[in-house]
Amino acid sequence: MKQKQILFLHFSYWLLVLSKNIFAIITSQNVNIDILNLTIFTASFLGFYVNYFFVVPKFFNPKKLYFTIVGFFVGVFFFALFRYSLEEILLPKIAGFRNYAEDTSFTYYFYDNVYYSSLTIFVSTSLWLFTYYSKLERERSQLIEERKHAELQALKTQINPHFIFNSLNNIYSLVYQNSEKALPAIEKLGELLRYTTKDLEKEFIRLDQEVGYIESLIELEKLRIGNPELLIVEKKISQSGVLISPMILVPFVENAFKHGDFRGKGFVVSISEDMGKLNFYLQNFKITREKDKVSGIGIENVRKRLEILYPKKYELHIKETESEFIVDLRIDLSV
């Protein structure tokens, strides 16, 4: 809860108490009673904030309830002390009268004021506890957000080296073959690295930027594939301003190229967005071979990031057979 809301609760309580006292003074025809209303209000105010700022913070212990109970009676003690000082010491000297009989002991005064002070001390303690637990909840939420941010940054740093490793393998193959496609491939990789270096630092980028990255990646991969016409990309984006976390979709495409069978076969990527609802579909054929131990890094990254960034706002279905790999991802990107 924000500080302004806490202050509003304090203000509302005292406005209610003050209104009650003003009404009592207006309707009363006894000056002495009017003065006693003021002394009770003053004692309540002083007792409230001594309890709020000093007593409860000192005695509150969620693991030891008796500490809190002792603290309650300490708060009552201060209320009684303030009222006793006003009504039994100050008033006789100033106004010539007192509230209790002259020989009333402080012990009896304290006992009698348990009733009068209970509401004040209860509200004071309750507001402190409310503020205390609101602060704990705010700090807990902040820690969770910081942990999420740190985890996301760690996951992103895993994605980028994985992509570089895959691309360098492809370019190495072109250079080894003395292919004329090697230099354009290096240039395209440089463009993509500049893109990822810039956008991975951001929490969110435009969806069309993420799609543009995928298209550039596919263009890079086409340089090493004999039948690039088999790489089918379909896209339909209705709102260019829709935001998405960078590198959410890319690992699926990387995985398809790393493990895909392009010998007379290709793959299909379909990306559509309508009113903030993203549909991503990928289908490719796999090369039958022993599974690479690091191949799942990108996919597992995506699962973790989706759970952190879009809890209950996404559906991810992956179907994998001996020869085929299908990804069907739906994310609600609307704010």
Side-chain angles (χ1 to χ4, degrees):
M1 177 168 283
K2 296 181 180 179
Q3 189 67 25
K4 289 182 178 180
Q5 294 172 310
I6 299 295
L7 292 175
F8 177 76
L9 290 176
H10 284 258
F11 175 78
S12 299
Y13 173 73
W14 287 113
L15 182 62
L16 182 64
V17 173
L18 190 59
S19 300
K20 176 178 175 294
N21 278 271
I22 291 174
F23 179 77
I25 291 173
I26 292 174
T27 57
S28 172
Q29 297 180 351
N30 189 322
V31 177
N32 290 352
I33 293 177
D34 294 343
I35 294 175
L36 291 176
N37 278 324
L38 291 176
T39 59
I40 292 175
F41 176 82
T42 305
S44 297
F45 188 86
L46 293 173
F48 185 101
Y49 285 108
V50 167
N51 182 70
Y52 186 88
F53 287 112
F54 301 103
V55 177
V56 183
K58 181 69 175 179
F59 284 88
F60 174 70
N61 188 331
K63 296 181 180 179
K64 297 179 180 179
L65 182 59
Y66 67 89
F67 260 51
T68 305
I69 296 174
V70 170
F72 175 83
F73 284 102
V74 171
V76 172
F77 168 81
F78 278 106
F79 175 94
L81 178 64
F82 292 135
R83 190 180 179 192
Y84 185 86
S85 300
L86 291 169
E87 295 181 352
E88 307 305 316
I89 298 177
L90 190 62
L91 269 184
K93 294 180 180 180
I94 296 177
F97 74 96
R98 64 180 73 236
N99 188 21
Y100 286 69
E102 187 173 353
D103 58 347
T104 301
S105 67
F106 183 79
T107 303
Y108 176 83
Y109 203 93
F110 172 81
Y111 171 77
D112 194 49
N113 275 272
V114 170
Y115 169 78
Y116 292 105
S117 63
S118 291
L119 178 61
T120 297
I121 301 304
F122 175 78
V123 173
S124 174
T125 302
S126 298
L127 275 177
W128 186 90
L129 290 174
F130 189 71
T131 306
Y132 173 78
Y133 282 108
S134 295
K135 181 181 179 182
L136 283 184
E137 180 62 25
R138 186 168 61 252
E139 291 175 349
R140 188 182 71 85
S141 299
Q142 184 177 351
L143 286 174
I144 290 174
E145 288 303 315
E146 290 176 355
R147 187 177 65 186
K148 284 183 178 180
H149 180 73
E151 185 174 352
L152 285 171
Q153 290 302 112
L155 292 173
K156 285 181 180 180
T157 58
Q158 291 178 18
I159 291 172
N160 201 25
H162 187 221
F163 160 73
I164 296 172
F165 177 77
N166 291 343
S167 300
L168 287 177
N169 273 346
N170 298 338
I171 293 175
Y172 174 81
S173 177
L174 293 175
V175 172
Y176 184 79
Q177 299 171 16
N178 291 322
S179 171
E180 61 182 14
K181 298 179 181 180
L183 288 179
I186 294 173
E187 182 180 1
K188 182 67 68 174
L189 176 61
E191 294 175 1
L192 290 174
L193 287 177
R194 283 192 295 271
Y195 183 88
T196 56
T197 302
K198 178 182 177 181
D199 288 324
L200 275 179
E201 296 177 353
K202 302 176 182 178
E203 291 187 25
F204 295 95
I205 61 173
R206 296 198 318 273
L207 177 60
D208 59 348
Q209 289 179 284
E210 178 84 351
V211 174
Y213 180 93
I214 291 174
E215 291 177 322
S216 297
L217 175 61
I218 292 174
E219 288 300 315
L220 176 61
E221 295 290 353
K222 281 182 178 180
L223 296 175
R224 70 176 180 88
I225 294 175
N227 42 10
E229 69 279 358
L230 296 179
L231 307 183
I232 301 174
V233 180
E234 301 172 347
K235 69 171 183 175
K236 182 181 179 182
I237 300 176
S238 63
Q239 301 181 53
S240 59
V242 174
L243 300 179
I244 189 172
S245 179
M247 301 293 277
I248 281 287
L249 307 178
V250 173
F252 294 116
V253 180
E254 290 181 353
N255 188 70
F257 281 117
K258 184 173 179 62
H259 303 284
D261 185 357
F262 298 99
R263 296 168 299 182
K265 302 175 183 179
F267 80 159
V268 176
V269 176
S270 174
I271 305 173
S272 63
E273 176 273 327
D274 183 37
M275 301 297 291
K277 305 296 191 296
L278 170 67
N279 292 333
F280 174 85
Y281 179 84
L282 181 147
Q283 178 183 21
N284 71 285
F285 295 94
K286 294 165 50 181
I287 297 176
T288 303
R289 65 181 182 186
E290 184 179 352
K291 185 175 177 62
D292 190 335
K293 292 183 180 180
V294 297
S295 65
I297 290 178
I299 303 300
E300 287 306 310
N301 258 325
V302 174
R303 288 185 187 276
K304 293 177 182 178
R305 294 177 67 206
L306 284 170
E307 192 59 37
I308 294 173
L309 293 165
Y310 305 104
K312 299 182 180 180
K313 296 182 68 176
Y314 80 96
E315 293 181 15
L316 175 60
H317 302 285
I318 297 178
K319 180 181 178 181
E320 186 172 7
T321 66
E322 291 184 1
S323 61
E324 196 175 35
F325 188 80
I326 299 174
V327 176
D328 187 4
L329 172 62
R330 302 170 188 271
I331 311 176
D332 183 0
L333 300 175
S334 59
V335 179

